[in-house]
Amino acid sequence: MYPPQHVAIIMDGNGRWAQNRGLARHEGHKEGVKTLKKIVKYAVETDISSLTVYAFSTENWKRPKAEVDFLLALMKKTMRNEVKDLLDNGVRINFIGRKNGLSKNLIKEIEHIEIKSKKNKCLTLNIAFNYGGRAEIVDAAKKIFIESQNKGFNIDELDEDLFSSYLYSSDFQDIELLIRTGGDKRLSNFLLWQSAYAELYFTDKYWPDFDAAELDAALEDFRNRERKFGALNDGDKNA
Ligand code: FPP
């Protein structure tokens, strides 16, 4: 089967990776950034056209303040330090998530990199930050409601395609392969709408230990899946 065009990753296990080494949890997040850089570089070499990663969820605000502050600062620092490398590699960066609750500085950094990388075509890296799948669907419903009031929008015209265009990123393709590291087997509110027909791949490896070989294993597993989208297998049609 063809390679997946859009791969999503729940980068889980940074904290445990650090704790297993007697390190503070934030050391795991720092190592997680290094892994992300390697995986982005590798994804550019493959036929994947979009990679979406879960960097900070709307639920992550419930973590201790020191960890939240660390993750926000890490995001800002990573964007600033990596912008050149990402641009040189032809990566387009896009953020999905709620800007509400983020500092003006971070929003400025985010918007700067989105504009600078807009024309890049090798890979689109969507960074889900302050992102929640349910929040995204609620935000889309609100936009549709406001538009229906202001523009006399006919609600009977609302179908799945039109609804999708109100999500955080209107040109966002469905997820074909969703990978979760760290051993848990759940979606944790990630891309609920866009993963409706995603193939799911779980690995026990903690995110800092994930590498190109692991990504290859996930891609190979995907190639062996039979995707049906609710229809029948070819072999079942004559049964
Ligand atoms: C989950 O591991 C990971 C996160 C909440 C943060 C993910 C962030 C990174 C990989 C940093 C890179 C991202 C950017 C773009 C700056 P966890 O803390 O839940 O680990 P645990 O399950 O072992 O506790």
Side-chain angles (χ1 to χ4, degrees), residues 51-118:
L51 179 67
T52 299
V53 294
Y54 209 2
F56 190 86
S57 74
T58 44
E59 288 70 36
N60 285 152
W61 295 104
K62 295 181 207 150
R63 293 190 176 202
K65 187 174 179 310
E67 184 168 347
V68 169
D69 288 348
F70 184 87
L71 285 167
L72 295 172
L74 184 65
M75 179 70 190
K76 206 157 75 189
K77 190 171 144 201
T78 304
M79 287 306 107
R80 197 169 296 161
N81 293 349
E82 302 309 325
V83 59
K84 187 176 176 312
D85 221 24
L86 290 164
L87 295 178
D88 288 350
N89 279 288
V91 180
R92 178 178 179 181
I93 319 276
N94 212 14
F95 283 81
I96 55 168
R98 277 189 178 157
K99 296 229 169 99
N100 269 357
L102 301 181
S103 71
K104 278 195 184 132
N105 269 346
L106 181 54
I107 295 173
K108 219 170 104 187
E109 211 72 59
I110 287 174
E111 288 173 350
H112 171 75
I113 198 165
E114 279 182 337
I115 292 168
K116 274 217 122 179
S117 67
K118 213 178 165 88

Side-chain angles (χ1 to χ4, degrees), residues 11-16 25 29 33 55 60 63 75 78 207:
M11 308 179 288
D12 198 15
N14 293 345
R16 281 165 289 162
R25 290 176 55 83
H29 297 315
V33 172
N60 285 152
R63 293 190 176 202
M75 179 70 190
T78 304
W207 174 247

Side-chain angles (χ1 to χ4, degrees), residues 169-186:
S169 191
S170 54
D171 55 355
F172 203 87
Q173 299 160 273
D174 273 358
I175 304 299
E176 290 180 279
L177 172 64
L178 188 146
I179 298 170
R180 181 177 186 135
T181 63
D184 287 322
K185 295 182 176 64
R186 53 177 169 256

Side-chain angles (χ1 to χ4, degrees), residues 154-215:
N154 178 1
I155 209 69
D156 287 333
E157 285 172 13
L158 184 63
D159 59 11
E160 292 175 14
D161 284 342
L162 188 56
F163 192 94
S164 298
S165 70
Y166 287 88
L167 295 171
Y168 291 144
S169 191
S170 54
D171 55 355
F172 203 87
Q173 299 160 273
D174 273 358
I175 304 299
E176 290 180 279
L177 172 64
L178 188 146
I179 298 170
R180 181 177 186 135
T181 63
D184 287 322
K185 295 182 176 64
R186 53 177 169 256
L187 290 180
S188 299
N189 203 15
F190 192 38
L191 303 171
L192 299 180
W193 176 281
Q194 300 89 338
S195 294
Y197 282 101
E199 298 296 327
L200 308 180
Y201 182 89
F202 300 102
T203 166
D204 289 336
K205 286 255 162 135
Y206 296 140
W207 174 247
D209 290 328
F210 193 82
D211 56 16
E214 286 287 327
L215 180 57

